[in-house]
Amino acid sequence: MKYIKQILGIILLSIGVGIIFSSCTEGDSGKPMLDTSLIPVSGDLEAELTAPPNVPAPIGHRSAKKVKVNMVILEKEAEMSDGVKYVYWTFGGSVPGSFIRTRVGDEVEFTLKNHPDNKLPHNIDLHAVTGPGGGATSSFVAPGHEVTFSFKTLNPGLYVYHCATAPVGMHIANGMYGLILVEPAGGLPEVDKEYYIMQGDFYTKGNYGEPGLQPFDMQKAIDEDADYVVFNGKVGALTGDNAITAKVGETVRLFVGNGGPNLVSSFHVIGEIFDKVSIEAGSMVNENVQTTLIPAGGAAIVEFKVDVPGTFIIVDHSIFRAFNKGALGMIKVAGDDNKTIYSGTQIEGIYLPEGGAIQSMPGTGPAPKAEKASTVDRQIEMGKQVYAKTCLACHQAEGQGIANAFPPLANSDYLNANVNRSISIVLKGKTGEITVNGKKYNSVMTAQMLTDEEVANVLTYIYNSWDNNKSVVTPAMVKKIRN
Ligand code: CU
């Protein structure tokens, strides 16, 4: 018996030593090693983060390091399409969020900051993380706070990250997703151009193209009835002057993700054939592909050489999405014709969809003058604007709230019972269970950064809308509770 134990011990020891040795040997095949968790890190660096369609510099031959990622969550209004605005929730200020580039074996120290101007708590679930919730359980962060957690990148590939705060679908639908690349040891093969494209579907109260600030529509999202299906967060993010570019003879690599929340993408470039596709962004490479399927919450890496000049149209080949919902981009290729490959003339703009005008991000306008409302009617009018910016995303356009997540403000017994309590909640926030119209809610409302006038106006608007009790809130009442 004693001998058997000794022999077993020796066998186990040799297996252990074998694993460690093979793990410390960096293969150049791009395949995951036996135990990548044992790759040592040396030194640290600050991760370069880029907004789409740009990606950070390749990792090349660098060794595994401690990589510090600093990401700020920003809730901001921007253009969805010509004349259509939307309140996006973003990782790093863009949709999709900042691109993160690492290599296998890196130790990522991730700091997530929730900007103090934001309304809601958020977190992050990175599909590149091996651990509970992909980091979500360690990264829940309220406005004005930051959290740090770390993880080791064990598997090379291109991974989606997204917010996973309830209601999860709504956070993703508002743009909270992006990509993190984990390169194999030695890096990906060199190419001439690399770009970052991510598809997403959006659900708005108004139909496609209906102007104005459009709130999120929960029912359409549940029904998977998208108004917009777009690349990089809005209609026209990759068309016209925003098109990505290449020169004849260059090799192009697209890091393509799909944030969803609902729809699967049939990713296709009109007039190109993908020489290589990393299927589902894993290690299996397919060649000579026309259209590749990208699941919601998934990605693909596609590569092709551009041989002739012209404008090549990027689409979701579920084709009504491309021409009627915005899923259309462009690669403009400059250079000399090659009549052997293609004899015809490309006409630029031929595939422009109706209504798909070229968009630009709105600049920051001048600060509005702080007008004091002289009548209750004016208070209601001004309060409505505050509501649209501050409350509408959660409590919805008609104050109906969102079932099981955000309580209704319409005909609300809770609201009508106590005006001072409502003022206090707007000023100081509220966590924990409350009962509204017989239903229990347990969500987080954060303190709102509003002036006394704004609080008075928005509450007066709410109290004078949707069958509430027509209370009037004055700035003096707000001031008293603030102090
Ligand atoms: Cu979120």
Side-chain angles (χ1 to χ4, degrees), residues 73 89 91 121-123 163-165 171 176:
I73 295 168
W89 300 348
F91 286 107
H122 300 283
N123 64 6
C163 184
T165 300
H171 283 250
M176 296 197 83

Side-chain angles (χ1 to χ4, degrees), residues 421-442:
R421 178 175 64 188
S422 305
I423 297 172
S424 171
I425 290 173
V426 175
L427 290 174
K428 295 164 189 173
K430 174 91 187 154
T431 43
E433 192 176 273
I434 62 168
T435 302
V436 181
N437 297 347
K439 290 213 175 85
K440 285 191 166 60
Y441 294 85
N442 198 348

Side-chain angles (χ1 to χ4, degrees), residues 133-469:
T137 48
S138 314
S139 60
F140 187 77
V141 61
H145 291 79
E146 60 177 75
V147 290
T148 301
F149 65 103
S150 49
F151 61 93
K152 197 164 176 76
T153 51
L154 302 182
N155 302 71
L158 179 64
Y159 298 92
V160 168
Y161 65 79
H162 61 87
C163 184
T165 300
V168 179
M170 180 180 179
H171 283 250
I172 295 175
N174 284 344
M176 296 197 83
Y177 46 76
L179 292 178
I180 174 171
L181 174 66
V182 182
E183 293 197 56
L188 293 168
E190 260 181 58
V191 291
D192 297 307
K193 292 276 162 64
E194 291 184 324
Y195 293 107
Y196 172 22
I197 299 175
M198 205 159 175
Q199 185 169 319
D201 29 299
F202 288 86
Y203 304 83
T204 52
K205 187 154 196 298
N207 291 332
Y208 181 87
E210 208 169 300
L213 179 65
Q214 290 294 334
F216 168 71
D217 190 311
M218 189 68 161
Q219 194 55 51
K220 283 184 181 173
I222 291 167
D223 296 342
E224 305 191 10
D225 179 17
D227 296 286
Y228 295 86
V229 182
V230 294
F231 298 122
N232 292 358
K234 62 174 191 169
V235 178
L238 290 174
T239 62
D241 291 344
N242 300 325
I244 56 177
T245 59
K247 293 193 194 85
V248 167
E250 285 186 326
T251 45
V252 178
R253 175 181 291 137
L254 304 179
F255 296 105
V256 192
N258 185 5
N262 288 321
L263 304 178
V264 166
S265 174
S266 300
F267 189 78
H268 176 79
V269 176
I270 299 173
E272 264 303 338
I273 294 150
F274 303 143
D275 298 324
K276 281 186 195 171
V277 175
S278 295
I279 301 163
E280 294 168 5
S283 302
M284 188 185 282
V285 174
N286 198 357
E287 293 181 337
N288 308 319
V289 176
Q290 57 191 305
T291 300
T292 194
L293 207 55
I294 308 178
I301 303 173
V302 309
E303 293 174 18
F304 50 92
K305 181 169 167 249
V306 287
D307 298 296
V308 295
T311 298
F312 295 82
I313 310 295
I314 305 165
V315 295
D316 178 339
H317 216 297
S318 288
I319 209 73
F320 277 99
R321 297 176 189 170
F323 297 112
N324 299 76
K325 297 187 173 186
L328 187 144
M330 295 174 176
I331 307 171
K332 290 189 176 175
V333 179
D336 296 330
D337 282 333
N338 183 337
K339 299 285 187 195
T340 315
I341 295 175
Y342 187 67
S343 66
T345 311
Q346 298 269 322
I347 301 165
E348 209 178 294
I350 193 167
Y351 280 114
L352 264 179
E354 316 116 69
I358 296 156
Q359 304 303 312
S360 58
M361 291 294 279
T364 42
K369 267 195 289 177
E371 183 200 328
K372 290 195 162 85
S374 49
T375 63
V376 172
D377 281 351
R378 184 64 188 137
Q379 255 199 301
I380 292 170
E381 209 176 308
M382 289 166 73
K384 188 174 181 179
Q385 287 168 23
V386 177
Y387 186 85
K389 282 197 185 131
T390 309
C391 323
L392 184 144
C394 297
H395 293 290
Q396 302 288 285
E398 305 302 325
Q400 71 270 38
I402 290 177
N404 305 318
F406 302 115
L409 303 179
N411 195 12
S412 160
D413 57 358
Y414 186 86
L415 209 61
N416 291 322
N418 190 336
V419 173
N420 283 340
R421 178 175 64 188
S422 305
I423 297 172
S424 171
I425 290 173
V426 175
L427 290 174
K428 295 164 189 173
K430 174 91 187 154
T431 43
E433 192 176 273
I434 62 168
T435 302
V436 181
N437 297 347
K439 290 213 175 85
K440 285 191 166 60
Y441 294 85
N442 198 348
S443 54
V444 179
M445 157 118 175
T446 57
Q448 302 300 308
M449 308 298 279
L450 299 171
T451 64
D452 291 352
E453 272 76 21
E454 285 171 325
V455 174
N457 293 346
V458 76
L459 281 172
T460 300
Y461 166 68
I462 292 165
Y463 274 112
N464 286 271
S465 304
W466 321 307
D467 296 328
N468 285 324
N469 68 4

Side-chain angles (χ1 to χ4, degrees), residues 5-206:
K5 271 189 184 164
Q6 273 180 358
I7 291 165
L8 230 112
I10 290 164
I11 292 171
L12 285 172
L13 190 71
S14 0
I15 291 172
V17 169
I19 287 171
I20 290 165
F21 273 103
S22 55
S23 303
C24 292
T25 315
E26 298 202 358
D28 55 2
S29 62
K31 297 235 168 74
M33 282 172 293
L34 202 56
D35 189 349
T36 49
S37 70
L38 297 173
I39 296 175
V41 296
S42 57
D44 53 301
L45 60 85
E46 187 78 28
E48 179 193 359
L49 301 178
T50 59
N54 301 312
V55 296
I59 63 117
H61 287 278
R62 79 159 168 80
S63 61
K65 290 190 184 307
K66 180 174 180 178
V67 176
K68 293 178 180 173
V69 175
N70 271 288
M71 196 175 277
V72 184
I73 295 168
L74 293 167
E75 298 167 4
K76 59 190 248 189
E77 188 183 301
E79 249 174 7
M80 171 78 75
S81 181
D82 207 6
V84 183
K85 299 220 162 153
Y86 193 77
V87 177
Y88 293 92
W89 300 348
T90 75
F91 286 107
S94 59
V95 178
S98 309
F99 195 98
I100 309 165
R101 194 160 192 161
T102 67
R103 58 150 284 170
V104 70
D106 277 345
E107 205 178 287
V108 180
E109 186 186 275
F110 203 110
T111 300
L112 188 63
K113 301 173 179 179
N114 194 343
H115 195 280
D117 289 347
N118 292 343
K119 315 287 177 217
L120 290 162
H122 300 283
N123 64 6
I124 193 165
D125 167 353
L126 300 115
H127 293 180
V129 168
T130 306
T137 48
S138 314
S139 60
F140 187 77
V141 61
H145 291 79
E146 60 177 75
V147 290
T148 301
F149 65 103
S150 49
F151 61 93
K152 197 164 176 76
T153 51
L154 302 182
N155 302 71
L158 179 64
Y159 298 92
V160 168
Y161 65 79
H162 61 87
C163 184
T165 300
V168 179
M170 180 180 179
H171 283 250
I172 295 175
N174 284 344
M176 296 197 83
Y177 46 76
L179 292 178
I180 174 171
L181 174 66
V182 182
E183 293 197 56
L188 293 168
E190 260 181 58
V191 291
D192 297 307
K193 292 276 162 64
E194 291 184 324
Y195 293 107
Y196 172 22
I197 299 175
M198 205 159 175
Q199 185 169 319
D201 29 299
F202 288 86
Y203 304 83
T204 52
K205 187 154 196 298

